[in-house]
Amino acid sequence: MLTVWEAIKVRRSIRKFAPDDVPEEMTQQMLEAARLAPSGANYQPWRFLVVRDKEERKKLRHICLEQRFIEEAPVVIICFGDLERYSPQARKKRRQEFIDFGVIETLSGRFTDPDILKSMESLPRPTREQLLAPMIANTYIAIDHLVLMATSLGLGTCWVGGFDAAAINRLFGLADNLLPLVVIPVGYPAGDIPPPRPRLKLEEIVLKPQVHRTAE
Ligand SMILES: Cc1cc2nc3c(=O)[nH]c(=O)nc-3n(C[C@H](O)[C@H](O)[C@H](O)COP(=O)(O)O)c2cc1C
């Protein structure tokens, strides 16, 4: 198994898959890596649907803008964000968990106020639109765990964001609190591993302050 750093370096978007099946234990290990991801206030909004059936993969290919490798991959994992995780009851449970696990005691600033939890409860319920950003951001962390675990097991994956989300929910009879965010085909890469795609240089992504900083 590769180390995290090795997996980060060798991962590529794989769009050609061998017909060889992916052992169930590997799929479970990928899901386990996703399960352990961090999330804001530990909301864990991610949900996964594992698709192995050939006919379903064929239908998914149509839904995913005819991207052929979706049908070719022996396993396709559909990654959802669950808006229900942010319901008032769920928020209350998360706050209680903060207390039970002693997190509150380690916080500082306004979080040290003993009434903070009560006052947070009285905040207005966020709208569906307001919840989208945290739900997507948190679910993407879990998806990256899943993808890097697949890489470290020698499997190929590709993040796929091009699909008709409503059609996925219709195909699997899922309620609209579950938002399909990314589709991940998984399998053994076929043919040559693609060369690395270009990345920005460090100097291009590390910002320099634009104000003159004076010594105090
Ligand atoms: C959110 C997201 C959505 C993507 N959607 C697609 C897609 O629909 N089809 C596809 O072939 N690749 C898709 N990609 C893969 C990117 O094109 C790829 O990650 C990028 O070009 C860098 O190449 P690399 O993954 O080989 O390093 C997606 C990647 C991300 C992160």
Side-chain angles (χ1 to χ4, degrees), residues 8-214:
I8 288 171
K9 279 191 291 183
V10 304
R11 187 211 53 81
R12 303 276 182 278
S13 287
I14 299 298
R15 300 183 178 90
K16 265 186 173 191
F17 294 98
D20 310 56
D21 208 357
V22 171
E24 181 56 28
E25 309 84 74
M26 288 194 179
T27 313
Q28 288 303 315
Q29 206 161 346
M30 291 166 61
L31 295 168
E32 185 63 8
R35 189 179 74 84
L36 298 179
S39 54
N42 209 15
Y43 272 97
Q44 307 166 66
W46 44 75
R47 296 291 179 269
F48 302 95
L49 184 71
V50 180
V51 181
R52 286 179 177 271
D53 181 77
K54 174 100 181 109
E55 275 311 303
E56 285 178 348
R57 283 189 281 130
K58 194 174 183 168
K59 287 180 187 158
L60 269 179
R61 167 193 173 156
H62 295 312
I63 291 173
C64 295
L65 317 178
E66 289 300 342
Q67 300 186 73
R68 199 183 51 219
F69 55 92
I70 299 288
E71 185 182 347
E72 215 176 69
V75 176
V76 179
I77 301 182
I78 311 175
C79 311
F80 299 82
D82 183 2
L83 280 169
E84 205 41 48
R85 285 298 290 176
Y86 298 91
S87 67
Q89 301 92 303
R91 291 168 74 197
K92 209 169 178 175
K93 271 195 193 159
R94 299 279 71 75
R95 284 192 289 272
Q96 188 58 43
E97 188 187 284
F98 261 53
I99 298 168
D100 296 346
F101 282 79
V103 180
I104 292 291
E105 291 151 33
T106 64
L107 295 172
S108 58
R110 73 186 185 97
F111 289 104
T112 52
D113 172 359
D115 286 331
I116 184 74
L117 295 176
K118 271 201 202 106
S119 62
M120 279 167 81
E121 257 163 56
S122 62
L123 290 173
R125 188 180 179 176
T127 63
R128 188 179 165 96
E129 283 64 39
Q130 286 168 332
L131 290 175
L132 285 179
M135 189 197 69
I136 294 170
N138 288 306
T139 302
Y140 270 40
I141 299 170
I143 301 172
D144 209 39
H145 275 205
L146 182 145
V147 162
L148 289 176
M149 177 55 82
T151 310
S152 81
L153 293 169
L155 296 165
T157 56
C158 183
W159 286 66
V160 170
F163 53 77
D164 174 350
I168 289 188
N169 283 26
R170 271 199 306 276
L171 177 62
F172 296 102
L174 300 170
D176 72 354
N177 56 297
L178 290 164
L179 258 76
L181 299 178
V182 181
V183 171
I184 307 279
V186 187
Y188 290 96
D192 295 334
I193 299 293
R197 297 286 297 271
R199 291 294 194 267
L200 297 173
K201 296 190 187 74
L202 263 190
E203 308 87 85
E204 294 173 288
I205 62 169
V206 178
L207 299 175
K208 290 193 172 68
Q210 295 298 302
V211 290
H212 183 65
R213 283 198 280 199
T214 50

